[in-house]
Structure formats: C-alpha cells, structure tokens
Amino acid sequence: MYSVLLVDQNKHALNRTKTLLDWKSIGFQVSESTDQFSEVIPLLAEWNFSLIIINMKNYNSSAVMLVHRIRKQHNIPIILIGGSDDFQIARKALTYQVRDYLTDPVDKEALTKSLLTLKKELDFKHTIDSQFYRPQPGKNTNQSAASIIEKVKYYVSAEMNQNITLKKISRLLHFNSAYLGQKFKQHENMTFNEYLLQQRMEKAKQLLKQTDLKIYEVANKVGYTEMDWFYKKFKEYTGVSAKEYRKKMA
C-alpha cells in the first residue's frame, strides 16, 4: 500500500478529495493530510510518503513555491490539482517534474487513472529494487555503475512491449537522464537507444523464428505500434524484411 499526503488549504475540498476514492482498492492510502503549506516539509521529514497531492487552486504562486521547496530535498512524485488556467503557472510547475496536473474540482476517473499509472511505476521500481542490491557507501564506483546499468537493462527486458524512454527509466531510478545515458554508453559501448533497438530486433527475430505470431503481433510484442516503422527498422537491422526472415528461418 502506497502512502499519500494530501495538501489543500481549503478544508472542504481537502475532505472531498479524501472521500472521493476507495483509495485502498487501487493500492494507496491517505496517511496524512494538512490544510497548511507550512506543515508539508516537516511531515516529509517524519513520514515515508510515496506521493504528495497538492490542490493549488487560489494559491498558485505559493503552491509552486512549495513544490520548489519539496524538490530541493525530495524526488517524491507530486500531483497538482486545480490552479489557474495560466499557462505560465502550469509550465513553471512542470519544470519541477510534477507527475500530473489535474483540474479542480478533481474528476474521479482522471485521478484514478493518474494513480494507477503511478502505481505501475512504483510497483516496477519495487521489483527492480528487490532484484538488485542498492549500492552501499564505500563500494567502488564501477561496481555501483554496473548495478545501475543492470537495472536499466532489466527494465528494457521486462517492459519491451511498452513505450520505453531513458527519461522514464531515469525518473524511476532517480537519476539525471543525461548522466544515466552517459554511464550507459561508457558501460555498454553503445548508446541506450542503440541498445534498445538491438534488444527489440533480437526479440523480434526470436519470435519470428520460434512462434506463429502474425508479424503485427510480433511488432507489438517488441514495442512497435506503427507497422511501417517496424518494417523499416527490421530491414535496416537484418538486411531482409520480416516476412523474408521468417521464410529463411523456417
């Protein structure tokens, strides 16, 4: 169960959000709530939250400042609710890597969808952490880097059929995307995108050879929804079309 901190300076709206969902049925629980922005940082020091939800309606500037203060100390996911239609405010909030920006009054389906998307990432991060030991203080840098790269490769293998980006993986592992990309290239002697293409094409070759899946099904299995793009990348990688490859391997 993932722990949530609700923050809303309007007590009525705060109570409405608390009772809006059956939180536990989707894997979350509201562990704490506050109607004072000033209480958020102390609460973060006291509790191990998985998510903060902040209603910023009528408090746009102060809410953005709160997010700024949080980001100085924590990488915790943040969902913002309400606020102004002012694009500048929304853009400023997004620079602090908030998870989502929902309108007020918050829609039950929209909030549920946002939470389920986050839960999938939190679940996967937990799986990664249980598969690999976290680097310990005093361990040498090469060993730590190797552990990080193995987590990246594990994600690629497990989520092959999804839209995979280094930015998404970086967020899960709490690393800067450019830094992680640099470390990956140093460790693997290829860029992350080159590795991702290699893994997808090798998996596609395996599926074409060992299964009776239709070619579009193979493409979907390795993360391609645009068939023309899959055909192009497969031919560039193997020198033959997917259909020709299957015949050749039969």
Side-chain angles (χ1 to χ4, degrees):
M1 200 71 64
Y2 295 110
S3 177
V4 179
L5 169 62
L6 287 184
V7 184
D8 193 332
Q9 297 204 104
N10 182 314
K11 290 184 179 181
H12 176 74
L14 180 64
N15 289 329
R16 179 183 178 278
T17 305
K18 277 185 185 179
T19 58
L20 183 64
L21 304 177
D22 179 1
W23 294 85
K24 291 186 178 180
S25 69
I26 54 175
F28 291 87
Q29 63 179 9
V30 178
S31 301
E32 284 290 329
S33 62
T34 179
D35 60 359
Q36 299 297 319
F37 284 179
S38 60
E39 293 180 353
V40 173
I41 300 300
L43 281 169
L44 287 175
E46 183 179 350
W47 289 78
N48 184 27
F49 297 108
S50 300
L51 168 66
I52 306 174
I53 300 178
I54 303 172
N55 192 323
M56 61 188 295
K57 186 176 182 181
N58 299 325
Y59 303 96
N60 295 334
S61 297
S62 55
V64 170
M65 285 302 298
L66 173 60
V67 173
H68 174 64
R69 290 175 60 207
I70 293 170
R71 278 290 171 261
K72 283 185 173 181
Q73 303 177 38
H74 303 277
N75 288 315
I76 184 170
I78 298 172
I79 294 176
L80 294 180
I81 295 174
S84 160
D85 290 331
D86 185 345
F87 175 71
Q88 296 301 325
I89 292 291
R91 187 170 68 175
K92 182 66 174 177
L94 291 173
T95 63
Y96 295 123
Q97 298 180 323
V98 297
R99 285 284 317 178
D100 211 342
Y101 189 87
L102 306 176
T103 57
D104 182 80
V106 64
D107 178 73
K108 181 177 180 179
E109 290 185 7
L111 180 57
T112 299
K113 181 179 179 181
S114 184
L115 291 171
L116 289 175
T117 300
L118 174 61
K119 182 179 183 297
K120 182 180 178 182
E121 291 191 12
L122 292 173
D123 287 346
F124 196 86
K125 185 176 184 302
H126 177 74
T127 301
I128 289 177
D129 288 343
S130 65
Q131 290 285 337
F132 303 96
Y133 291 108
R134 283 188 172 277
Q136 298 297 317
K139 298 286 185 181
N140 73 53
T141 305
N142 289 335
Q143 183 179 18
S144 299
S147 175
I148 294 164
I149 299 309
E150 286 306 311
K151 291 180 181 182
V152 174
K153 292 164 70 174
Y154 178 83
Y155 183 95
V156 169
S157 175
E159 296 289 290
M160 179 99 42
N161 64 326
Q162 300 297 320
N163 177 32
I164 298 175
T165 65
L166 187 60
K167 185 176 181 180
K168 183 187 292 186
I169 299 174
S170 300
R171 185 176 64 210
L172 282 172
L173 300 180
H174 301 304
F175 278 96
N176 175 275
S177 181
Y179 170 83
L180 189 56
Q182 181 184 49
K183 288 297 179 185
F184 191 94
K185 186 172 183 179
Q186 289 175 353
H187 193 271
E188 295 296 314
N189 296 316
M190 67 176 74
T191 67
F192 172 77
N193 285 336
E194 288 170 342
Y195 176 81
L196 178 59
L197 176 65
Q198 178 196 72
Q199 295 304 302
R200 282 179 160 159
M201 293 298 104
E202 290 299 325
K203 182 68 175 179
K205 286 166 60 179
Q206 178 189 352
L207 292 172
L208 288 168
K209 181 179 179 181
Q210 298 178 0
T211 75
D212 294 325
L213 291 172
K214 297 186 183 336
I215 293 177
Y216 78 86
E217 292 175 319
V218 171
N220 290 339
K221 289 274 188 186
V222 297
Y224 288 90
T225 55
E226 296 290 335
M227 287 304 300
D228 287 346
W229 189 242
F230 172 74
Y231 286 135
K232 178 182 178 181
K233 301 310 278 185
F234 189 88
K235 189 164 186 178
E236 286 178 355
Y237 186 82
T238 64
V240 295
S241 70
K243 186 176 181 180
E244 290 170 335
Y245 182 84
R246 170 166 270 172
K247 285 182 178 179
K248 183 179 176 182
M249 293 295 110

